[in-house]
Amino acid sequence: MKKKLIISIVSLFVLIILGINVYLSKGSASNKEVNVNVTQLKEITLKSTVMIPGTLSLANEQYIYYDAEKGNVDKIHVTEGSIVQVGTPILTYESDEIELEKEQHKLGRKSSQLQINSLIKQIANLNVKQKNLEIELGKEEAKNQIDSERTQLNLDLETAKLELEKNDLESKSILKKEKNLEVKSDIKGTVLEVDKEAVNNTSETQKPVIHIGSTSQHIARGVLSEYDALNIKSGQSVVITSDVLPNKKWEGTVKQIDYLPQQQASSDSTSENANQYPIEIKIDDQDISSIKPGFKLLLEIETTSKKAKSLPVKSIVNEGRNKYVYVVENREVSRIKVKVGETTSKFIEILSGVSEKEKVVSNPSKKLNDGLKVNIQ
């Protein structure tokens, strides 16, 4: 009996010791502090952007195609790599038809001039003829005959002169046609390609004989969705990047957005494909020439920009449609509901809930709860 009593007392003592240890461990756990980093509400510039793919192009280009109506290509005056100015002759056509017109004009003008010279001479000889007729017919009759003949000769002379003027007008027209046989550069730039075989190209897709471009100025081209075409305007800022040079960025601005959508590849009028609107970006950084026309680009277009009181996105706790932050005061956290506005990839606008003076946990963990003691790092 005595032995059982001793065992009972020992067991009770052990249970008491265990209970004390559990109580102490719970107390120490509840008082354990969590380390946190904090941030504060700051006014920063929030920018909303649209990302679209694009292609690098030369800002100023000229393509010269073969024009069979002008005749055969007589001579190409430039070679690849040539530097040309505005008005530099590029190629010249030869036209048998224009050469024939020139010869006919030359003969016609000569004929008109001979006729004029002949009529002037005949009019000059009328005075001598009139004196001879006066001897035979008398003054009055001679004058009547000569006046009639003089009138006809003067009329023929005026007609011949008009014919000469007409011939001169035709000459100007021929000279204009002949001038059009010479194709000149419309831009200042470099001859990038000369393809003599394009003259003999019989395929439906016509190739340029000569390609000229200004290599000092570049643009980026892309297409916008219907929605983005409404939100993007000329003059908006653009950040340009390329996978070829991942650490490089260039700046640009929206130059223009086409009023009409680009033509769809399919001719099916019932196609449900969304319209796409071509966009052109002016590139302000000249060092983009380190990559070549045709390279693929990524265009980040700024659609809106405003200053707003904001917090880092990572500081926000999302619970359904509600947004919360943890505020630290006297080394203790409190969960606060906030109302938000504009959101970017890094920051979110805070409309109400916290002030600039309050310290907000910048990257809250699941361990945080109201009343928890924290240590600000």
Side-chain angles (χ1 to χ4, degrees):
M1 186 75 180
K2 189 176 180 180
K3 185 177 182 181
K4 289 183 179 178
L5 180 62
I6 294 172
I7 293 172
S8 298
I9 293 171
V10 171
S11 299
L12 180 62
F13 180 76
V14 171
L15 289 172
I16 292 171
I17 294 299
L18 289 174
I20 293 172
N21 288 333
V22 169
Y23 175 79
L24 291 175
S25 64
K26 285 184 177 179
S28 63
S30 62
N31 293 326
K32 186 178 180 181
E33 293 182 351
V34 175
N35 294 328
V36 295
N37 295 314
V38 295
T39 184
Q40 288 177 286
L41 198 65
K42 294 179 182 178
E43 187 174 73
I44 62 173
T45 301
L46 295 179
K47 296 180 180 180
S48 297
T49 60
V50 170
M51 303 282 281
I52 63 168
T55 305
L56 184 66
S57 302
L58 294 176
N60 208 3
E61 295 179 276
Q62 181 182 1
Y63 293 92
I64 298 171
Y65 295 89
Y66 171 61
D67 187 351
E69 292 184 359
K70 291 184 177 181
N72 299 319
V73 174
D74 179 38
K75 185 177 181 181
I76 295 176
H77 302 285
V78 295
T79 57
E80 290 184 7
S82 299
I83 305 298
V84 296
Q85 306 295 326
V86 175
T88 299
I90 302 300
L91 65 82
T92 305
Y93 289 90
E94 59 178 1
S95 173
D96 294 337
E97 182 179 344
I98 291 179
E99 289 299 321
L100 181 60
E101 287 184 26
K102 285 172 65 177
E103 289 299 320
Q104 289 175 340
H105 160 74
K106 185 177 179 180
L107 292 174
R109 195 178 196 289
K110 185 176 181 179
S111 174
S112 296
Q113 192 62 59
L114 288 174
Q115 187 176 4
I116 289 171
N117 293 339
S118 175
L119 289 168
I120 291 173
K121 188 175 181 181
Q122 291 179 55
I123 292 171
N125 291 335
L126 284 180
N127 293 331
V128 176
K129 186 176 181 179
Q130 183 174 356
K131 287 182 179 180
N132 292 333
L133 286 175
E134 286 176 356
I135 297 172
E136 296 178 11
L137 305 174
K139 276 188 176 184
E140 192 65 28
E141 184 62 28
K143 184 177 181 302
N144 290 337
Q145 287 191 22
I146 291 301
D147 284 349
S148 176
E149 190 174 349
R150 181 180 283 112
T151 299
Q152 185 60 48
L153 287 174
N154 283 331
L155 181 61
D156 292 342
L157 179 60
E158 289 302 316
T159 302
K161 287 180 178 179
L162 288 174
E163 191 65 30
L164 184 62
E165 289 181 11
K166 179 182 176 182
N167 190 279
D168 287 340
L169 289 175
E170 291 175 351
S171 176
K172 291 180 181 179
S173 177
I174 293 171
L175 287 174
K176 188 175 181 180
K177 289 180 182 178
E178 191 173 32
K179 189 177 181 180
N180 287 337
L181 294 178
E182 185 177 67
V183 180
K184 296 180 179 180
S185 175
D186 295 333
I187 65 173
K188 177 183 177 181
T190 303
V191 178
L192 303 175
E193 184 180 14
V194 176
D195 185 2
K196 296 180 180 179
E197 296 302 318
V199 174
N200 304 316
N201 183 32
T202 57
S203 65
E204 292 183 1
T205 304
Q206 193 176 15
K207 296 181 179 179
V209 179
I210 297 170
H211 178 198
I212 302 171
S214 176
T215 56
S216 61
Q217 297 177 320
H218 295 79
I219 59 172
R221 290 190 171 96
V223 291
L224 299 173
S225 67
E226 293 175 347
Y227 176 80
D228 290 337
L230 292 176
N231 294 321
I232 295 175
K233 309 295 180 186
S234 296
Q236 288 176 331
S237 299
V238 184
V239 176
I240 303 162
T241 56
S242 171
D243 290 340
V244 178
L245 298 173
N247 297 323
K248 187 71 176 174
K249 291 184 179 180
W250 301 275
E251 294 183 355
T253 53
V254 176
K255 184 178 180 182
Q256 70 174 40
I257 303 166
D258 285 8
Y259 182 73
L260 297 175
Q262 69 178 8
Q263 293 292 329
Q264 298 290 340
S266 173
S267 60
D268 184 3
S269 60
T270 62
S271 174
E272 296 182 358
N273 292 334
N275 288 324
Q276 292 183 312
Y277 292 81
I279 182 174
E280 191 172 293
I281 307 298
K282 177 181 176 291
I283 300 175
D284 300 324
D285 293 328
Q286 296 301 321
D287 67 344
I288 200 168
S289 58
S290 57
I291 59 176
K292 299 185 181 225
F295 275 38
K296 300 301 179 183
L297 304 172
L298 187 62
L299 311 175
E300 185 178 1
I301 306 170
E302 180 184 301
T303 55
T304 60
S305 176
K306 73 171 185 178
K307 288 187 176 181
K309 294 177 181 179
S310 308
L311 287 172
V313 171
K314 291 181 178 180
S315 65
I316 303 297
V317 176
N318 297 297
E319 290 189 8
R321 294 184 178 181
N322 297 322
K323 312 285 184 184
Y324 297 91
V325 296
Y326 283 97
V327 175
V328 180
E329 186 177 2
N330 297 325
R331 298 181 62 190
E332 189 174 290
V333 295
S334 300
R335 193 172 80 154
I336 306 295
K337 185 177 180 180
V338 293
K339 185 178 180 181
V340 301
E342 292 282 342
T343 303
T344 68
S345 60
K346 294 182 179 180
F347 293 95
I348 186 167
E349 180 184 9
I350 304 298
L351 300 176
S352 64
V354 292
S355 66
E356 294 95 324
K357 295 181 179 180
E358 292 179 295
K359 297 177 180 179
V360 178
V361 178
S362 59
N363 195 3
S365 67
K366 293 182 179 179
K367 296 178 181 180
L368 296 184
N369 53 66
D370 271 334
L372 182 70
K373 290 289 185 179
V374 295
N375 181 42
I376 298 176
Q377 290 186 322

